[in-house]
Amino acid sequence: MLARAARGTGALLLRGLNILIPVLDRIRYVQSLKEIVINVPEQSAVTLDNVTLQIDGVLYLRIMDPYKASYGVEDPEYAVTQLAQTTMRSELGKLSLDKVFRERESLNASIVDAINQAADCWGIRCLRYEIKDIHVPPRVKESMQMQVEAERRKRATVLESEGTRESAINVAEGKKQAQILASEAEKAEQINQAAGEASAVLAKAKAKAEAIRILAAALTQHNGDAAASLTVAEQYVSAFSKLAKDSNTILLPSNPGDVTSMVAQAMGVYGALTKAPVPGAQDSVSSGSSRDVQGSDASLDEEFDRVKLS
């Protein structure tokens, strides 16, 4: 669709049949209402961190009011192009180099808004703006490549360290589980050993109790005293044969070779323990026992002195 502005009358000629007065009227401006694509020339711009960039773009616009576009500005395309360049330089000055590459969409939107606010009186509407190429200085480009390589090496080192840490954690966890299992096995072994020792002690106690019971029953039978005397004599002989094996100092009775008297003495002690106490005779027994104990102590002292002298 084309819109024509007639010179002289200032009338706007639309599509269809239009009548012009010769000499007085003639077509001065022809405006296309289609979307127009304009290449924005490359220009230099300085970022917030003082890096000079060479940048260009593409501008998409449409004439919304042919009358304003014809009489509001001398050259609408040139005006919009200059406005796009100045706006782009202004917006780039607000951003650092890293943000320029990351926020291209927000940068394009900011340029479109700034152009629409200024070009509204021209009857032109900017539809979109796209940045084509961004050229950085060679040294800055080399620095960016070095930064990228350093970042990659850093990530590789971090990944390697994380792998080493995970490996160490797994090894430590394995050792921990092994120690726990070993301690549980040792605990179970100690419990089983203690249970076995307790069972052995209990079995020995039961066997000893049974032996004592059988011995007591045997002593109550016929000739039980003679059997007890024989056992005491055997134990005396066995103990006498082990004298002076563990120590050089020993105590001997006055008559170590008289086994009969030793057996008689032992059987007397056994008889005194097994006999029930007689009422009224406790004092005499106590006095006699005291005299026997004193006599025994005196004889033991004499024997001890004799051993010392020898």
Side-chain angles (χ1 to χ4, degrees), residues 1-6 11-19 33 66-67:
M1 177 179 180
L2 298 179
R4 297 178 176 84
L12 180 64
L13 304 180
L14 300 177
R15 63 179 180 176
L17 181 61
N18 293 277
I19 299 174
L33 302 182
Y67 186 82

Side-chain angles (χ1 to χ4, degrees), residues 1-3 30-36 62-64 66:
M1 177 179 180
L2 298 179
V30 178
Q31 303 291 348
S32 176
L33 302 182
K34 296 180 181 180
E35 185 173 349
I36 303 172
R62 175 178 292 174
I63 296 177
M64 307 301 295

Side-chain angles (χ1 to χ4, degrees), residues 22 65 234 271:
D65 190 344
E234 290 178 352

Side-chain angles (χ1 to χ4, degrees), residues 138-156:
R139 292 186 178 180
V140 177
K141 189 175 182 180
E142 292 177 0
S143 300
M144 293 174 63
Q145 291 178 353
M146 293 174 61
Q147 182 180 0
V148 171
E149 292 178 359
E151 188 68 24
R152 290 178 180 175
R153 287 195 298 268
K154 175 184 175 182
R155 284 183 295 185

Side-chain angles (χ1 to χ4, degrees), residues 110-309:
S110 300
I111 294 173
V112 170
D113 293 338
I115 292 175
N116 286 332
Q117 291 178 4
D120 184 57
C121 59
W122 301 338
I124 300 174
R125 181 175 180 80
C126 181
L127 302 179
R128 58 188 177 276
Y129 179 85
E130 297 292 339
I131 297 176
K132 291 174 62 177
D133 296 321
I134 299 176
H135 301 283
V136 297
R139 292 186 178 180
V140 177
K141 189 175 182 180
E142 292 177 0
S143 300
M144 293 174 63
Q145 291 178 353
M146 293 174 61
Q147 182 180 0
V148 171
E149 292 178 359
E151 188 68 24
R152 290 178 180 175
R153 287 195 298 268
K154 175 184 175 182
R155 284 183 295 185
T157 305
V158 170
L159 291 176
E160 184 178 359
S161 64
E162 289 180 355
T164 305
R165 184 187 66 177
E166 292 293 333
S167 177
I169 291 174
N170 292 334
V171 172
E173 194 69 26
K175 291 181 179 180
K176 176 183 176 182
Q177 294 296 330
Q179 291 179 356
I180 291 174
L181 294 176
S183 63
E184 290 180 354
E186 184 178 359
K187 176 182 176 182
E189 182 181 359
Q190 292 178 356
I191 292 174
N192 294 333
Q193 185 177 359
E197 292 177 356
S199 299
V201 171
L202 183 61
K204 290 180 180 179
K206 289 182 179 180
K208 189 173 183 180
E210 185 67 20
I212 293 173
R213 185 183 62 79
I214 295 173
L215 180 60
L219 290 175
T220 58
Q221 294 179 1
H222 181 64
N223 294 327
D225 294 338
S229 300
L230 178 60
T231 303
V232 171
E234 290 178 352
Q235 293 179 355
Y236 176 79
V237 173
S238 176
F240 191 77
S241 65
K242 296 179 180 179
L243 290 175
K245 286 187 176 180
D246 297 332
S247 177
N248 294 329
T249 303
I250 59 175
L251 295 175
L252 295 175
S254 59
N255 51 352
D258 191 359
V259 181
T260 305
S261 62
M262 180 61 67
V263 173
Q265 186 179 359
M267 293 304 296
V269 175
Y270 171 72
L273 292 175
T274 55
K275 288 180 181 180
V278 180
Q282 183 175 2
D283 296 336
S284 61
V285 171
S286 299
S287 62
S289 299
S290 299
R291 289 194 296 271
D292 293 338
V293 170
Q294 292 175 359
S296 300
D297 292 339
S299 61
L300 287 175
D301 292 337
E302 293 175 358
E303 190 70 24
F304 185 72
D305 294 335
R306 188 179 63 82
V307 171
K308 283 184 176 180
L309 291 175

